[in-house]
Amino acid sequence: MKKHISAMLLSLLLSVAVFASFAGASAAPATAKSKANPIKAPVGELRADQLMFGYTDQTGKQILGLIGDPGKSHPSPKTLTSVLYAPGKQFNVSYLKHQKMSSKSDGRQNANNFKNDEGELFKLTYASNKLNSNDSVLLAAKNAFQGHTFLALKSVQKGKFSQKTIQAIEKTKNRKVASQGLIATTTSGIQIGLVKFVKGSGKPLASLVLVDKGGMVFEDFVGNNDSQSTWRVDDGGQISADDFNLLFVSYSKAGYALGVEWYGAEGSNLTVIQQKGAKFRVVQENGRYMAP
C-alpha cells in the first residue's frame, strides 16, 4: 500500500511508524511541491501476484498452474520461472500456453485428468529434471523469494512436541491440548506441528504451530459443530499432523514462510502463509478437487 505524506504534514515534523520508520524526516519549504517516498514492504514479504499453485502430470515433466478465484490477485503466468516442491527444493520452468478444458474432463485436478483440465501449462526447463507424478507444487516469479533462506526439511513419521512446548501452547491459547503431532522439523531445530485443543464450550480449534528458540507462531483452524465435517468435508471430526505436508519452509527479515498442503476427503487445500508477529497471514491459497 502506498502512502503519501503532504508537505504540510512534513512541516509539522511528525514521524509515523507503520511498517517502516520515518524518524528524522526534515520539513520541506511551504511553497515546494514534494513527494514522500512510498513505504516499502519488509525485505522478504511475499506477494500473491508472484505465486501460483499447480500440480504435475504423470511424467513429472509438466505442470498445470491452477487459476483459482478470478477475483483475487494472481500472477501473469509468463512471469513464473521456477517451481518449488517438497521438501523445499526447486527447478526452473518454462511457460507453454493456457490450456483449455476438454469435453473429456472429469472435473478432477489430478495426473489422470491433466490433459483435460484447464490451467496454465508449464514444462521443466531442463530435460534432466523430473518431479513426482501428481504432486502439488508452487510456481514462483523470479524475485518472489528474494531475501529468503530455504530451510532444509526432515519429514517426521512419528514425533511429538515436548511436554514443555505443549504447556507453553496451552498457556498461550488458554486451552488444553487434546492431541498433537509433528509435521516436520528443520535441520536447524525448528519444529512445525499440529495441535488439536479440547473443545470445551467454544468452537472446535486446532492450530498449525511453528516453534523455534524465540517462541511460537500460530495458524488457527476454527471448526464448527458438525461432527462429520468439523474442519473439512467428511473429516469425521478429526484433524491430525498426518493430514499435512510442507512444500517448503523459508526465513527472511519478514519472518518465516510455509507452503502448506492440507489433505482432505475431497482433495487438498493449498496455502502459502507468512509470519506476521505471533500469527501467520495467508499470502496465496488454492485447492485441488480430487474426490473419486
Side-chain angles (χ1 to χ4, degrees):
M1 179 184 293
K2 294 184 178 179
K3 292 188 177 181
H4 296 280
I5 304 175
S6 68
M8 183 178 292
L9 286 176
L10 285 175
S11 67
L12 294 175
L13 299 177
L14 292 177
S15 297
V16 181
V18 181
F19 293 106
S21 174
F22 289 90
S26 58
T31 58
K33 293 183 179 181
S34 62
K35 292 184 179 180
N37 292 327
I39 296 174
K40 295 182 178 180
V43 175
E45 185 169 296
L46 298 176
R47 291 166 36 188
D49 62 357
Q50 293 183 324
L51 303 169
M52 178 184 284
F53 282 105
Y55 67 96
T56 59
D57 69 351
Q58 291 179 330
T59 71
K61 296 284 189 176
Q62 291 192 331
I63 299 156
L64 198 62
L66 300 167
I67 298 173
D69 186 346
K72 294 185 178 181
S73 180
H74 294 286
S76 166
K78 294 181 179 180
T79 66
L80 304 174
T81 58
S82 64
V83 57
L84 280 75
Y85 64 97
K89 298 182 180 180
Q90 57 185 313
F91 288 139
N92 292 332
V93 296
S94 302
Y95 179 61
L96 296 176
K97 64 177 183 177
H98 175 79
Q99 179 172 289
K100 295 182 179 180
M101 183 174 291
S102 164
S103 59
K104 297 179 181 180
S105 176
D106 61 11
R108 278 35 171 199
Q109 294 165 312
N110 58 31
N112 291 333
N113 193 49
F114 185 95
K115 292 182 179 180
N116 301 315
D117 192 18
E118 182 177 13
E120 304 298 344
L121 187 62
F122 295 81
K123 70 172 183 178
L124 297 181
T125 302
Y126 300 108
S128 58
N129 293 339
K130 185 178 180 181
L131 296 166
N132 291 329
S133 172
N134 201 42
D135 267 7
S136 297
V137 296
L138 179 69
L139 296 154
K142 182 178 180 180
N143 296 318
F145 285 89
Q146 187 173 7
H148 284 247
T149 298
F150 287 95
L151 307 182
L153 281 172
K154 296 190 298 183
S155 295
V156 176
Q157 299 298 326
K158 292 182 180 180
K160 292 185 178 296
F161 288 119
S162 69
Q163 189 57 37
K164 182 179 179 180
T165 298
I166 291 299
Q167 289 173 352
I169 290 171
E170 290 178 334
K171 183 177 180 180
T172 300
K173 291 295 186 181
N174 195 29
R175 293 177 76 159
K176 289 292 184 181
V177 170
S179 61
Q180 56 107 349
L182 293 178
I183 299 169
T185 63
T186 71
T187 54
S188 58
I190 295 165
Q191 296 180 315
I192 303 100
L194 192 285
V195 295
K196 177 185 175 185
F197 295 94
V198 174
K199 184 176 181 297
S201 58
K203 290 186 177 181
L205 177 66
S207 296
L208 185 150
V209 191
L210 182 148
V211 181
D212 69 2
K213 294 179 181 179
M216 300 174 292
V217 190
F218 291 86
E219 173 72 355
D220 291 341
F221 305 120
V222 180
N224 58 64
N225 293 319
D226 183 344
S227 62
Q228 293 305 309
S229 300
T230 305
W231 286 277
R232 299 283 303 275
V233 173
D234 295 331
D235 62 12
Q238 300 302 314
I239 185 172
S240 74
D242 294 336
D243 301 330
F244 291 82
N245 179 46
L246 297 182
L247 301 184
F248 72 88
V249 178
S250 67
Y251 183 78
S252 69
K253 289 183 178 180
Y256 291 104
L258 309 177
V260 182
E261 181 168 22
W262 181 5
Y263 305 115
E266 293 191 339
S268 292
N269 282 359
L270 300 162
T271 55
V272 172
I273 55 178
Q274 187 167 37
Q275 182 180 357
K276 187 174 182 180
K279 296 182 179 181
F280 285 103
R281 69 180 181 94
V282 175
V283 179
Q284 184 62 281
E285 59 185 338
N286 215 312
R288 293 174 61 192
Y289 179 73
M290 296 179 284

